[in-house]
Amino acid sequence: MSKEITARSEDYSQWYNDLVLKGGLADYSAVKGCMVIKPYGFGLWEGMRDVLDKKFKDTGHQNAYFPLFIPKSFLSKEAAHIEGFAKECAVVTHYRLKNDPNGGGVIVDPEAKLEEELIVRPTSETIIWNTYKSWIQSHRDLPLLINQWANVVRWEMRTRLFLRTAEFLWQEGHTAHATAQEAVAETRQMLDVYADFAENWMAMPVIKGVKTPNERFAGAVDTYCIEALMQDGKALQAGTSHFLGQNFAKAFDVQFTNKENKLEYVWATSWGVSTRLIGALVMAHSDDDGLILPPRIAPLQVVIVPIYKNEEQKARIDEKVNALVAELKQAGIRVKYDDADHARPGWKFAEYELKGVPVRIALGARDLENNVAEVARRDNKTKESLSLDGLTGAIQLLLEDIQQNMYNKAKTYRDEHITPVDTWEEFVATLDGKAGFVAAHWDGTPETEEAIKEKTKATIRCIPLNNPQSPGQCILTGKPSKERVLFARAY
Amino acid sequence: MSKEITARSEDYSQWYNDLVLKGGLADYSAVKGCMVIKPYGFGLWEGMRDVLDKKFKDTGHQNAYFPLFIPKSFLSKEAAHIEGFAKECAVVTHYRLKNDPNGGGVIVDPEAKLEEELIVRPTSETIIWNTYKSWIQSHRDLPLLINQWANVVRWEMRTRLFLRTAEFLWQEGHTAHATAQEAVAETRQMLDVYADFAENWMAMPVIKGVKTPNERFAGAVDTYCIEALMQDGKALQAGTSHFLGQNFAKAFDVQFTNKENKLEYVWATSWGVSTRLIGALVMAHSDDDGLILPPRIAPLQVVIVPIYKNEEQKARIDEKVNALVAELKQAGIRVKYDDADHARPGWKFAEYELKGVPVRIALGARDLENNVAEVARRDNKTKESLSLDGLTGAIQLLLEDIQQNMYNKAKTYRDEHITPVDTWEEFVATLDGKAGFVAAHWDGTPETEEAIKEKTKATIRCIPLNNPQSPGQCILTGKPSKERVLFARAY
């Protein structure tokens, strides 16, 4: 087989790249740090997007679209925000090309210089809050619950397909509220939406928590996050939801008349998940033979491969399969009958294994005689012979079982990789050994957090919500601490 | 009422802007030429996108995503292409900002200059064909049928909301084929998809035709288009489908091994429609009271407004309406019950009229007693009292009737505005008078086409498909011509 996958144990990073490239999810592009999302990968994103979009709408949000470009001066209006984003942005300075009069080919026309440079949005708080200024006057205009699906650009120096790319696709919710309480409730609600999506659709358990000030979004009062664990023991931030306080309202002078007819600054939230989730999905579940996709978001849930020796057998199989495909589709199952004659069944099996299709059905002439089909599940690689009678119902149950099994497996792994430690030696040994999340005491200062990061490359992933309060001593400084926080090396 | 709309007869252009702005479709932004698409306008786009996306998938296409940025050198690889797009592109030259050491605030970091400038995609042929080079080797890889939903940027100097904006949203199909014949068939198929969408969803009749060389897409062998007529008698190009020949395959060296094992260049098409369609929709149907949206793509198809004097009446109406809303939703109808108590029914009527909601149902206490509701249709402003029994079925029929009526009305207007003329005087008089399409003979030369455009601002919109062949003399030069072509002033 031509599409060989590097084993995880051999080179985890290469294994990941192999899956993304050979599994048909994405490709490198001619533009440094930007990727091409291939049809199979984009199908996965479409499925994820549709589920999330429905959840956003069910919680009262509407979609809108704001400009790709942000005037340079806007970025600077919120002090922390410019600090966070100035170092990695694409800057548009001109609006025309022309032929070089000195024969140097096509060049930037120096006469077409913009008066003010435009930044390709790294995130849209500034352009959106500048717009909200004209949309919000009264408490009747609140809450304003808007989401945007868009591309954004952050000029990362070290990129990885899906995990960290210069351009990526995401959604960014931007809401405006009359009170701090309402805005915090919105922030938490959207965190719950993300956690629900990660666990029940992606089959990926997550820990909900709040970031330390060091790890906060640039411009936020509080950043909430969901943190997942990958198979190499590294953590991955899978989504964030920010309570922005009145920071952006003040920066863009967005005030409203409250019920008492007094002017107040508006309270804000923003929240987002991105195509990074696809990277998380790949690393949370897949194995050395390829992707393993959870049924609920797999672009293709079932593939059927015919096995025949002659056209007469093929015709009989076709007849049976066409009826089965119609029935599966009727039941809402995404199914494909792959009867292409230029590839052998073994090649197809390997290909769909690589692509992580949850269920593969093989049907041969003898199976037909026995009124059965061979049904193989991708997650645990078991096979069984199932009756063709009632097969659709059996497949439905099987897909549910696979979904649940994938979640359970990932959760068991994750739970086994949360290690409470009380000494610095244990801390370092755990990070270098089994890795995962290390639950340790910390003295609460940014300086200690930074020192730990420098020594071990581990960061505080989050302080879990409803974290048990139990006094202890900081792992590094020995100073008093009232709760453990979760450290990990992370993507 | 605060939201006054300029009459068409007074100022057509202002009327259009009023509808877009006050109807809640879009807003100006802080970035010159870029618009904000507001939730109601974006809802309309989502509906249009979903219908088109399904049609693309039903014809075998898959979605993918390619980078926002195009290396400057790529644009230059196809000679006509760079000519067409160099004059209006956003150029990224730097990748970082920094604090001005001289205290000038945040400035572009001169040390962060890109080696090669990047162009924000005005269209994606070049970056896509550079990618296809590595995806296409054999005839087995063809056809490659891909579509992308994306934002693109063309630095227009004179912009109009939706009709011509620096950034706009669109879809661009890019397909690769083994033969010219297949590629031409694809080009024509997608033109048919667009025409079907325009006529049967947007209720907007279109003329399918082919562009003259002057009006072709930069890099195409043939550009097919659908042309619609607006209420001011100006034409609007609503969609284009290009047969690109082997131009891009040659520019990016994309060859495949054919069945005879010989290398050949691949044949290409591209096709697109954009948020411009929303501008067309507004201008094709609306009136001086606001938008008129065709039911099949209206974000909201039915609005129900209660009319009551006290809470007891309100409670009885609520009970009835809640059941009705459930039934309408069950029937797949997009319905809203607007029982907000801070606005009077008259204000609501005007608001939904402005927003073009196809059907408005008003329900008062006396209506309830009589088991009827007042049903008003937006398109022709007629009202009737309908029994509450079987109302859902009646509404379904009504929505279909409105859709058909809107199409018929637009088609009658369009057909009355195709005027055959045989002299230059008639030609000019028609353009200055009733306007619309003028069917006239033309000698077939770009020079004459250009001269007519300079004298009258009219361009050849298209040579209709299956155009009757009838000899005549060019309207300007008197030279022989074998068929009439359609001239118009256009958006």
Side-chain angles (χ1 to χ4, degrees):
Chain A
M1 188 190 150
S2 63
K3 290 181 178 168
E4 222 159 288
I5 304 295
T6 306
R8 281 165 290 184
S9 56
E10 193 185 317
D11 184 342
Y12 188 86
S13 172
Q14 187 57 45
W15 165 78
Y16 173 78
N17 283 346
D18 281 354
L19 289 194
V20 170
L21 293 166
K22 296 177 184 175
L25 298 181
D27 207 346
Y28 295 114
S29 84
V31 182
K32 193 174 162 298
C34 292
M35 67 178 163
V36 174
I37 307 179
K38 297 181 79 170
Y40 192 58
F42 201 81
L44 191 52
W45 179 242
E46 286 179 303
M48 295 165 77
R49 184 194 66 191
D50 290 349
V51 173
L52 284 165
D53 196 67
K54 180 164 189 317
K55 287 179 187 290
F56 299 156
K57 285 175 177 158
D58 287 347
T59 46
H61 303 84
Q62 292 181 294
N63 289 327
Y65 189 78
F66 296 86
L68 171 67
F69 299 126
I70 297 178
K72 190 188 69 180
S73 58
F74 279 27
L75 264 196
S76 326
K77 288 200 181 182
E78 211 287 334
H81 200 68
I82 183 78
E83 281 301 313
F85 290 104
K87 285 168 199 145
E88 44 177 44
C89 58
V91 189
V92 177
T93 56
H94 292 74
Y95 58 85
R96 194 164 63 219
L97 300 176
K98 68 166 197 173
N99 283 312
D100 184 357
N102 303 318
V106 176
I107 59 166
V108 175
D109 185 344
E111 288 177 20
K113 192 170 188 308
L114 290 171
E115 273 182 48
E116 180 179 2
E117 296 89 348
L118 296 172
I119 310 303
V120 179
R121 64 183 161 216
T123 180
S124 301
E125 278 77 7
T126 56
I127 189 87
I128 287 180
W129 278 86
N130 182 68
T131 307
Y132 282 0
K133 184 175 167 56
S134 66
W135 292 2
I136 298 171
Q137 274 89 40
S138 145
H139 64 92
R140 286 200 199 288
D141 301 320
L142 299 173
L144 184 58
L145 305 174
I146 287 184
N147 176 61
Q148 164 171 277
W149 291 94
N151 53 344
V152 289
V153 172
R154 298 176 186 177
W155 209 266
E156 305 281 355
M157 285 300 156
R158 287 182 183 189
T159 56
R160 294 286 307 273
L161 292 163
F162 289 117
L163 296 172
R164 192 174 295 275
T165 48
E167 182 192 16
F168 57 91
L169 304 184
W170 79 344
Q171 60 68 218
E172 44 182 326
H174 294 274
T175 69
H177 305 265
T179 66
Q181 195 183 10
E182 252 188 47
V184 170
E186 164 80 6
T187 312
R188 293 287 293 269
Q189 171 185 252
M190 300 322 288
L191 189 73
D192 288 344
V193 165
Y194 289 155
D196 174 44
F197 176 72
E199 302 202 325
N200 295 316
W201 269 260
M202 295 176 65
M204 184 175 78
V206 292
I207 293 167
K208 293 190 276 189
V210 63
K211 289 286 185 191
T212 60
N214 268 12
E215 300 280 329
R216 245 178 229 151
F217 174 76
V221 172
D222 260 324
T223 287
Y224 295 85
C225 61
I226 51 172
E227 294 283 329
L229 193 63
M230 303 295 103
Q231 291 181 59
D232 60 348
K234 283 169 84 172
L236 186 145
Q237 175 181 297
T240 49
S241 185
H242 315 292
F243 169 57
L244 303 173
Q246 295 174 314
N247 292 349
F248 287 91
K250 286 180 178 165
F252 290 91
D253 193 27
V254 186
Q255 299 186 70
F256 72 103
T257 316
N258 67 18
K259 288 182 182 164
E260 288 76 43
N261 216 27
K262 284 185 187 155
L263 272 180
E264 274 191 76
Y265 285 105
V266 174
W267 299 86
T269 86
S270 68
W271 28 275
V273 296
S274 74
T275 36
R276 182 166 221 238
L277 283 181
I278 295 178
L281 188 73
V282 170
M283 289 204 299
H285 300 301
S286 306
D287 66 18
D288 290 351
D289 294 319
L291 301 167
I292 302 181
L293 300 180
R296 294 188 79 176
I297 54 170
L300 192 59
Q301 298 173 308
V302 175
V303 63
I304 306 176
V305 176
I307 299 168
Y308 55 92
K309 296 211 179 79
N310 54 52
E311 284 308 307
E312 186 271 328
Q313 288 186 354
K314 170 77 167 33
R316 279 191 293 135
I317 294 171
D318 280 356
E319 192 189 344
K320 190 72 199 175
V321 172
N322 290 337
L324 178 62
V325 165
E327 207 181 298
L328 289 166
K329 283 191 175 164
Q330 185 65 33
I333 294 171
R334 298 183 286 278
V335 57
K336 175 180 168 185
Y337 179 34
D338 184 353
D339 67 342
D341 60 4
H342 59 76
R344 299 185 58 81
W347 188 92
K348 292 179 186 173
F349 288 4
E351 181 68 15
Y352 292 111
E353 203 162 76
L354 171 57
K355 293 207 151 173
V357 178
V359 171
R360 180 190 78 218
I361 300 176
L363 196 67
R366 185 169 311 163
D367 294 323
L368 258 192
E369 278 168 31
N370 297 331
N371 198 41
V372 295
E374 184 196 78
V375 177
R377 50 192 281 180
R378 176 66 184 90
D379 62 329
N380 62 14
K381 304 199 121 193
T382 57
K383 283 191 260 191
E384 55 184 333
S385 188
L386 291 181
S387 168
L388 287 172
D389 300 332
L391 187 57
T392 296
I395 297 292
Q396 280 180 306
L397 292 176
L398 187 59
L399 289 169
E400 277 309 308
D401 190 57
I402 294 171
Q403 181 81 28
Q404 193 58 50
N405 182 56
M406 287 180 67
Y407 177 77
N408 292 346
K409 188 179 169 196
K411 181 145 190 312
T412 301
Y413 175 83
R414 196 276 311 271
D415 290 347
E416 286 170 0
H417 285 79
I418 303 178
T419 311
V421 306
D422 291 305
T423 69
W424 181 252
E425 290 67 34
E426 278 180 288
F427 184 80
V428 173
T430 307
L431 284 173
D432 290 341
K434 73 190 281 205
F437 294 109
V438 184
H441 284 282
W442 159 61
D443 66 16
T445 68
E447 294 75 20
T448 300
E449 188 179 3
E450 195 57 39
I452 294 174
K453 184 178 175 182
E454 268 179 38
K455 286 173 195 289
T456 65
K457 291 185 182 156
T459 50
I460 299 177
R461 302 316 302 157
C462 70
I463 304 164
L465 300 186
N466 308 316
N467 203 27
Q469 300 295 296
S470 65
Q473 294 178 314
C474 175
I475 206 79
L476 184 69
T477 64
K479 288 183 188 162
S481 145
K482 61 184 184 3
E483 60 184 341
R484 291 173 189 273
V485 299
L486 293 182
F487 286 89
R489 291 181 183 141
Y491 281 95
Chain B
M1 187 191 148
S2 63
K3 290 181 180 170
E4 222 159 288
I5 305 295
T6 306
R8 281 164 290 184
S9 57
E10 192 184 316
D11 183 343
Y12 188 85
S13 174
Q14 187 57 45
W15 165 78
Y16 173 77
N17 283 346
D18 281 355
L19 290 195
V20 170
L21 293 166
K22 296 177 183 175
L25 298 182
D27 206 347
Y28 296 113
S29 85
V31 182
K32 190 173 164 299
C34 292
M35 67 178 162
V36 174
I37 306 179
K38 297 181 80 170
Y40 192 57
F42 201 81
L44 191 52
W45 178 241
E46 286 179 303
M48 295 165 77
R49 184 195 64 189
D50 289 350
V51 173
L52 283 166
D53 196 67
K54 181 164 187 316
K55 287 181 189 289
F56 300 156
K57 286 175 177 158
D58 287 347
T59 44
H61 303 85
Q62 292 182 293
N63 289 328
Y65 188 77
F66 296 85
L68 171 67
F69 298 126
I70 297 179
K72 192 189 68 181
S73 57
F74 278 28
L75 265 196
S76 325
K77 287 199 181 183
E78 212 288 332
H81 200 67
I82 184 77
E83 281 301 313
F85 290 103
K87 285 169 199 144
E88 45 177 40
C89 58
V91 189
V92 177
T93 56
H94 292 74
Y95 58 86
R96 194 165 62 219
L97 301 176
K98 68 166 197 173
N99 283 312
D100 184 355
N102 304 319
V106 175
I107 59 166
V108 175
D109 185 344
E111 288 177 20
K113 192 170 187 309
L114 290 171
E115 274 182 47
E116 180 179 1
E117 297 89 348
L118 296 173
I119 310 304
V120 180
R121 63 181 163 218
T123 180
S124 301
E125 277 77 7
T126 55
I127 189 87
I128 287 180
W129 278 87
N130 182 67
T131 307
Y132 281 0
K133 183 175 170 54
S134 66
W135 292 3
I136 299 171
Q137 275 90 41
S138 146
H139 63 92
R140 288 202 197 287
D141 300 321
L142 300 172
L144 184 59
L145 306 174
I146 287 183
N147 176 63
Q148 164 171 278
W149 291 94
N151 53 345
V152 288
V153 172
R154 298 176 187 179
W155 210 267
E156 305 279 357
M157 285 300 156
R158 289 183 181 188
T159 58
R160 294 285 308 272
L161 292 162
F162 289 117
L163 296 172
R164 193 174 291 277
T165 47
E167 182 192 16
F168 57 89
L169 304 184
W170 80 344
Q171 60 68 217
E172 45 181 327
H174 294 275
T175 68
H177 304 265
T179 66
Q181 194 184 10
E182 253 188 47
V184 170
E186 164 80 7
T187 312
R188 293 286 293 271
Q189 171 185 252
M190 300 322 290
L191 188 75
D192 288 344
V193 164
Y194 289 154
D196 174 46
F197 176 72
E199 301 201 328
N200 295 316
W201 270 260
M202 295 176 63
M204 184 174 79
V206 293
I207 294 168
K208 293 189 276 190
V210 64
K211 290 284 184 192
T212 60
N214 268 12
E215 300 280 331
R216 246 178 229 152
F217 174 76
V221 172
D222 259 325
T223 286
Y224 295 85
C225 62
I226 52 172
E227 294 283 328
L229 194 63
M230 304 294 101
Q231 291 181 58
D232 60 348
K234 282 168 84 171
L236 186 145
Q237 175 181 298
T240 49
S241 185
H242 314 293
F243 170 55
L244 303 173
Q246 295 174 313
N247 292 348
F248 286 90
K250 285 180 179 166
F252 289 89
D253 191 27
V254 186
Q255 299 187 69
F256 72 103
T257 315
N258 67 17
K259 287 183 184 165
E260 288 75 43
N261 215 26
K262 285 186 189 156
L263 273 181
E264 272 190 74
Y265 284 107
V266 174
W267 299 86
T269 85
S270 69
W271 29 274
V273 297
S274 73
T275 36
R276 181 165 223 239
L277 283 180
I278 295 178
L281 188 73
V282 170
M283 289 205 298
H285 300 300
S286 306
D287 67 18
D288 290 351
D289 295 319
L291 300 168
I292 302 181
L293 301 180
R296 295 188 78 176
I297 54 170
L300 193 59
Q301 297 173 308
V302 175
V303 62
I304 306 175
V305 176
I307 298 167
Y308 56 91
K309 296 209 177 82
N310 54 51
E311 284 308 308
E312 186 271 325
Q313 287 186 353
K314 171 76 168 32
R316 279 192 292 135
I317 294 170
D318 280 355
E319 191 189 343
K320 190 73 199 174
V321 172
N322 290 337
L324 178 61
V325 164
E327 206 180 298
L328 288 165
K329 283 189 176 167
Q330 185 64 33
I333 293 172
R334 297 182 286 276
V335 57
K336 176 182 168 182
Y337 179 36
D338 184 355
D339 67 342
D341 61 4
H342 59 76
R344 300 185 58 82
W347 188 92
K348 291 179 187 175
F349 289 3
E351 181 68 14
Y352 293 110
E353 203 162 77
L354 172 56
K355 294 207 151 173
V357 179
V359 171
R360 181 189 77 218
I361 300 175
L363 196 67
R366 185 170 310 164
D367 294 322
L368 257 193
E369 279 167 29
N370 297 331
N371 197 41
V372 296
E374 184 196 78
V375 177
R377 51 192 281 178
R378 176 64 184 92
D379 62 328
N380 62 14
K381 302 199 124 194
T382 58
K383 281 191 262 191
E384 56 184 333
S385 188
L386 292 181
S387 169
L388 286 173
D389 300 332
L391 187 56
T392 297
I395 297 292
Q396 281 179 305
L397 292 175
L398 187 59
L399 290 170
E400 278 307 308
D401 191 57
I402 293 171
Q403 182 80 30
Q404 193 58 49
N405 183 55
M406 287 179 67
Y407 176 77
N408 292 345
K409 189 179 170 197
K411 182 150 191 309
T412 300
Y413 174 83
R414 197 276 311 271
D415 290 346
E416 285 170 0
H417 285 78
I418 302 178
T419 312
V421 307
D422 290 304
T423 69
W424 181 253
E425 290 66 33
E426 278 179 288
F427 184 80
V428 174
T430 307
L431 285 173
D432 288 342
K434 72 191 280 205
F437 293 107
V438 184
H441 284 282
W442 159 61
D443 66 17
T445 69
E447 294 74 19
T448 300
E449 188 179 3
E450 196 56 39
I452 293 174
K453 184 177 175 183
E454 267 180 38
K455 286 174 195 290
T456 64
K457 291 185 183 158
T459 50
I460 299 177
R461 302 316 301 156
C462 69
I463 303 163
L465 300 186
N466 308 316
N467 203 26
Q469 301 295 296
S470 63
Q473 295 179 315
C474 175
I475 206 78
L476 185 67
T477 63
K479 289 183 188 162
S481 146
K482 62 185 185 358
E483 61 185 340
R484 291 174 188 273
V485 299
L486 293 182
F487 286 88
R489 289 180 185 142
Y491 282 95

